Amino acid sequence: MIIDGSDVDATSAYKLLIGSILPRAVAWVSTVSTDGVANLAPISFFTAVGRKPPMVSISLQPRSDGVTLKDTFVNIRDTGEFVTNLAVLPLADQLHRSAHEFDSEVDEFTALDLAKAPSEVVRPPRIKEAPIAFECVVNRIIPVGDLHDHVVWGEVVRFHIRDDLYLERGRIDTAALPVVGRLAAEYTVVDNVFTTPLDDDVLKSFQDRRASRLDGRATGWSPIDTDAWSPSGATAARGKE
């Protein structure tokens, strides 16, 4: 199948991107509005973009209506600050529920029963249970296209690493982290590690293997086929991302 990028609409392009860029790291972004209301949102268009200064980027689409800017973006634009918290399996349900479109006046830490931890430099709190968090200040905001998408570059001004994860020479014990990643509209957990080369028997065993489901749903099921899904990363069923 060959698809001309100029021939597909935004929804179709989004499906192709999220179904092909796998797995995607999830930035669980905490922000605070100018009125002091705390917000949370899982952003899977997320990566590192610089070393000195340390820099990350997140890309945000509008709400599920395709027009209204998400509270996460509005807060970042208006305050110039945000925190990225590492998404791990014990917090996966709260991570997912934070994509629901809550009203802007709702403190999502309270709504999701998550404890706050104070940041050192920025106003938004960290998620206390998150093993790693980055305090960020905005470096630049880049509009993308004409559908209200934006890329935010943030300079990491403080790294918060749980003590037991910080090893000699500044290495992080990645194998101790049940990290959650994004697969299209679903999730995956990082639960194995390897270096190459691998034995041929191992490679053959993966040749026709499908990923196992941890939730007991039928093979081939996807949230994309449900009414709650939207091509924005937001879940329209409740009231805000």
Side-chain angles (χ1 to χ4, degrees), residues 31-37 79 81 83 119 121-125 135:
T31 58
V32 170
S33 72
T34 54
D35 293 328
V37 180
T79 68
E81 300 175 337
V83 176
S119 297
V121 178
V122 302
R123 288 180 60 210
E135 296 184 35

Side-chain angles (χ1 to χ4, degrees), residues 91-126:
L91 301 175
D93 183 57
Q94 287 145 307
L95 170 77
H96 179 68
R97 288 190 287 128
S98 70
H100 292 149
E101 295 184 330
F102 294 93
D103 291 332
S104 298
E105 296 76 20
V106 173
D107 184 316
E108 295 186 30
F109 280 85
T110 300
L112 298 169
D113 195 27
L114 287 166
K116 297 174 181 174
S119 297
E120 290 197 348
V121 178
V122 302
R123 288 180 60 210
R126 298 175 289 117

